[in-house]
Amino acid sequence: MPVLPGAEPFRHEGGEVGVLLCHGFTGSPQSLRPWAEHLAEHGLTVSLPLLPGHGTRWEDMQLTGWQDWYAEVDRELRALGERCERVFVAGLSMGGALALRLAARHGDAVSGVVVVNPANKVHGLSAYALPVARHLVRTTKGIASDIALPGSAELGYDRVPLHAAHSLRNFFRLVDRELPQVTQPLLLLRSPQDHVVPPADSARVLSRVSSRDVTEILLEQSYHVATLDHDADRIFEESLAFIGRLAPSVGKEGTAAGG
């Protein structure tokens, strides 16, 4: 199937500091593209892959699982590691969980982690019904485009494939067990008004990681897809400052790239 216009992966060859961005469940690189472009404009090498089964039609996602999604970002991280001296991982929602697992598994190969409204659990009674329900019902209503900003929209599926949702639930459990292995500096940005991921998920992440350098920022004006919402610029600026603090060469590269 052809990729939906706007859902294409994004890559930029910049300096010696790289950033891997991971999009969310049923979403696409479109939700993180402005963020990726901002980092690229400041001289960073950026990779924003399209996860398998995403960015086409929900039927394609029904055939994929967390192993496919994680393998894609793991491959991209290794490629960035060969190209760059320092690599950071970042993600939105499920992409935050992917970024956290990369940090847990790759250790010193990851210099820092930035997560926006990270997801940690499939909530509600429906989560317990998934193992059976996925064999009876193919989809449920979509979760895309939870955005406060008028006129802003996320390119994502209008249906959630239940086989994929079941796999996501298993992935969250796996990541939760591995969170204590995350030791890198962590920047967590979350929206108090999030209709997809509850505050408990961010609280759980913060309580489980072993990172000592932790910053939490509230995005008061945004809903779940904060990267396309009122607080988008703040996310871009705070993440760039976070990376620049840990990899000081970023500011110099940004000056050169900017003119």
Side-chain angles (χ1 to χ4, degrees), residues 72-204:
E72 182 68 21
V73 295
D74 186 83
R75 186 162 48 246
E76 290 292 326
L77 177 64
R78 293 174 191 275
L80 275 176
E82 294 175 0
R83 164 75 178 78
C84 301
E85 290 181 4
R86 305 282 295 275
V87 179
F88 293 80
V89 293
L92 166 69
S93 195
M94 176 189 77
L98 289 168
L100 288 162
R101 184 164 203 248
L102 289 170
R105 302 274 293 185
H106 286 271
D108 292 343
V110 172
S111 294
V113 187
V114 182
V115 291
V116 179
N117 293 323
N120 178 258
K121 184 179 181 180
V122 175
H123 295 267
L125 292 174
S126 58
Y128 298 98
L130 272 176
V132 174
R134 66 194 176 105
H135 297 293
L136 305 174
V137 183
R138 299 183 73 192
T139 68
T140 187
K141 64 179 181 180
I143 57 172
S145 223
D146 183 35
I147 301 172
L149 179 65
S152 182
E154 180 188 17
L155 181 60
Y157 295 148
D158 60 0
R159 305 298 297 172
V160 173
L162 292 191
H163 276 302
H166 177 65
S167 182
L168 178 67
R169 181 180 180 228
N170 292 336
F171 179 62
F172 285 157
R173 287 174 164 180
L174 175 68
V175 174
D176 188 68
R177 292 195 298 269
E178 295 179 344
L179 284 176
Q181 298 172 38
V182 176
T183 60
Q184 298 90 339
L186 171 66
L187 172 61
L188 185 148
L189 306 104
R190 68 176 181 87
S191 307
Q193 295 186 78
D194 185 329
H195 306 97
V196 178
V197 173
D201 285 33
S202 285
R204 176 75 176 177

Side-chain angles (χ1 to χ4, degrees), residues 19-65:
V19 183
L20 169 60
L21 296 172
C22 308
H23 70 74
F25 183 70
T26 74
S28 75
Q30 177 262 355
S31 62
L32 300 184
R33 184 174 294 270
W35 190 6
E37 291 174 344
H38 182 84
L39 296 174
E41 287 168 3
H42 284 79
L44 284 85
T45 293
V46 182
S47 175
L48 169 53
L50 172 64
L51 300 179
H54 292 70
T56 54
R57 55 178 191 159
W58 69 258
E59 289 89 346
D60 296 330
M61 191 176 178
Q62 186 82 319
L63 306 175
T64 66

